[in-house]
Amino acid sequence: MTTFGESHGPAIGGVIDGFPAGIEIDMQFIQQELERRRPGQSHITTARNESDKVELLSGVFEGKSTGCPIGFIVRNENHHSQDYENMRCLYRPSHADYTYSNKYGIRDHRGGGRSSARITISRCVAGAVAKLALRKYGISIHAYTSQVGDIALDKDYRKYDISLSENNIVRCPDAAVAEKMEELISTVKAEGDTIGGVITCVIKGCPVGLGEPEANKLHAQLGAAMLSINAAKGFEYGNGFDCALTRGSQQNDIFRLDEDDTASPNHSARNITTTTNNSGGIQGGISNGNDIYFRVAFKPVATILKEQPTVDLEGNPTIIKACGRHDPCVLPRAVTIVESMAAMVILDACLLARTVK
């Protein structure tokens, strides 16, 4: 996928290349995915009011993909560029202002321009299209908010009905915990501050053999995809950092023959599984047929409605106070972005596996 556009420009868009032909393109589903990312959903998201209607420009004929590049566009309708005028000559703390200025010699101060999280619209469109293609492989991807600040769910995703995450504005599958998360976000917002947290993602139905054994390990590709998302600061799959606290005898996933196996007596063709899934569905960089699960940590949104010290373009000390419309917590809207990036990685792996066989 190639993307284009800026936060306060005319539109956000992209071109999806290499997508297989003959896939039914469900426009209603794609739009629903954009609705999950759309600003203005609730009182704990930015008040920017965008319809985020996607227009497909190419690559689809009579409701199916043609195999040609799929071009799309989503027009910006509600940007308030004047809200950023006081930031034209300042470097905002923890933003990309300083790095962009030094790398390119120019930057768009309006809403962050190209570094804005609004650019993730393109990822959600491409991710929705990828999900449509993954249906034929029987692969599903579901993410949810598992932690906001110090309020956290158990790390074992199997304890929750993930489908319930869409029943509340935080996108947490536990209603009672979701209510506490919402209260915390509301409190932080009222203080003019922001807060971070964690999103958990579960991929079901992946066949054995996706990913490469060396440079393009499947978990490395997923990690790169997740860490490319705005505000993402950490990635772990399987037991992740908790592995550092255990011994091999506790961590190893023991192999066994699947009780539902109906394959031939040739053991190389038998359906082998494991008694545990500490590896997170990936071993040696290759999927092993178990659920793939991972967690992505997101920092608090850098734009806060409090005064902060900074410097101007000449390095002179000054004070900045942001105004305008900003998310107090990125997690509820980032859930679909995490799913989208995972969908693109897994579809790439599926297409490559089909090619080499």
Side-chain angles (χ1 to χ4, degrees), residues 45-114:
T45 63
T46 172
R48 181 169 176 169
N49 185 20
E50 297 278 1
S51 62
D52 284 355
K53 298 296 183 183
V54 62
E55 305 170 39
L56 295 189
L57 306 177
S58 63
V60 179
F61 178 67
E62 295 183 343
K64 291 186 177 181
S65 59
T66 64
C68 297
I70 299 176
F72 62 88
I73 193 171
V74 176
R75 301 184 187 280
N76 293 327
E77 302 169 335
N78 190 233
H79 42 63
H80 292 174
S81 299
Q82 67 275 10
D83 290 344
Y84 296 87
E85 192 57 35
N86 68 319
M87 304 176 192
R88 178 187 289 271
C89 298
L90 302 177
Y91 291 131
R92 296 172 297 168
S94 284
H95 281 76
D97 298 347
Y98 177 72
T99 51
Y100 266 56
S101 295
N102 276 267
K103 182 176 178 65
Y104 300 107
I106 188 174
R107 70 178 173 94
D108 184 348
H109 67 281
R110 305 166 305 165
R114 184 70 176 159

Side-chain angles (χ1 to χ4, degrees), residues 8-302:
H8 287 216
I12 306 295
V15 178
I16 305 166
D17 205 0
F19 192 77
I23 303 297
E24 291 189 11
I25 303 300
D26 184 343
M27 289 300 299
Q28 183 177 0
F29 173 75
I30 296 173
Q31 194 59 55
Q32 287 174 347
E33 291 294 277
L34 282 179
E35 285 293 315
R36 297 172 68 205
R37 196 223 71 95
R38 188 177 67 84
Q41 296 178 44
S42 70
H43 68 93
I44 60 171
T45 63
T46 172
R48 181 169 176 169
N49 185 20
E50 297 278 1
S51 62
D52 284 355
K53 298 296 183 183
V54 62
E55 305 170 39
L56 295 189
L57 306 177
S58 63
V60 179
F61 178 67
E62 295 183 343
K64 291 186 177 181
S65 59
T66 64
C68 297
I70 299 176
F72 62 88
I73 193 171
V74 176
R75 301 184 187 280
N76 293 327
E77 302 169 335
N78 190 233
H79 42 63
H80 292 174
S81 299
Q82 67 275 10
D83 290 344
Y84 296 87
E85 192 57 35
N86 68 319
M87 304 176 192
R88 178 187 289 271
C89 298
L90 302 177
Y91 291 131
R92 296 172 297 168
S94 284
H95 281 76
D97 298 347
Y98 177 72
T99 51
Y100 266 56
S101 295
N102 276 267
K103 182 176 178 65
Y104 300 107
I106 188 174
R107 70 178 173 94
D108 184 348
H109 67 281
R110 305 166 305 165
R114 184 70 176 159
S115 67
S116 169
R118 184 153 179 78
I119 305 303
T120 57
I121 287 176
S122 297
R123 298 171 184 238
C124 289
V125 174
V129 172
K131 284 184 179 180
L132 293 174
L134 289 175
R135 288 178 179 177
K136 72 179 231 177
Y137 293 99
I139 298 173
S140 64
I141 302 174
H142 297 284
Y144 60 93
T145 299
S146 55
Q147 182 172 343
V148 174
D150 60 356
I151 302 174
L153 297 178
D154 191 286
K155 288 186 177 181
D156 188 349
Y157 67 90
R158 296 169 300 178
K159 294 183 178 180
Y160 306 98
D161 182 351
I162 301 177
S163 66
L164 299 179
S165 61
E166 291 298 313
N167 291 350
N168 56 75
I169 59 177
V170 184
R171 294 201 162 89
C172 170
D174 186 306
V177 176
E179 186 174 350
K180 294 179 181 178
M181 291 176 172
E182 181 182 342
E183 290 175 358
L184 177 57
I185 296 173
S186 296
T187 298
V188 168
K189 178 182 179 181
E191 296 171 352
D193 217 331
T194 60
I195 195 164
V198 176
I199 290 175
T200 297
C201 186
V202 182
I203 306 172
K204 292 181 174 290
C206 277
V208 180
L210 299 185
E212 302 303 312
E214 189 54 35
N216 289 317
K217 289 179 168 64
L218 187 58
H219 59 268
Q221 295 181 59
L222 285 169
M226 297 308 139
L227 293 174
S228 73
I229 300 172
N230 304 59
K233 300 296 285 187
F235 170 83
E236 65 173 2
Y237 74 103
N239 276 6
F241 283 93
D242 288 344
C243 294
L245 307 177
T246 63
R247 300 185 180 188
S249 56
Q250 300 170 302
Q251 178 67 26
N252 287 347
D253 294 318
I254 306 303
F255 288 104
R256 65 174 175 83
L257 183 66
D258 193 326
E259 295 176 356
D260 297 326
D261 177 73
T262 57
S264 68
N266 178 5
H267 283 275
S268 64
R270 302 300 292 270
N271 188 18
I272 304 297
T273 186
T274 56
T275 57
T276 55
N277 187 20
N278 298 321
S279 301
I282 303 172
Q283 293 171 324
I286 301 170
S287 62
N288 66 6
N290 289 329
D291 290 350
I292 295 173
Y293 62 96
F294 59 85
R295 290 156 44 89
V296 186
F298 287 85
K299 70 173 183 177
V301 175

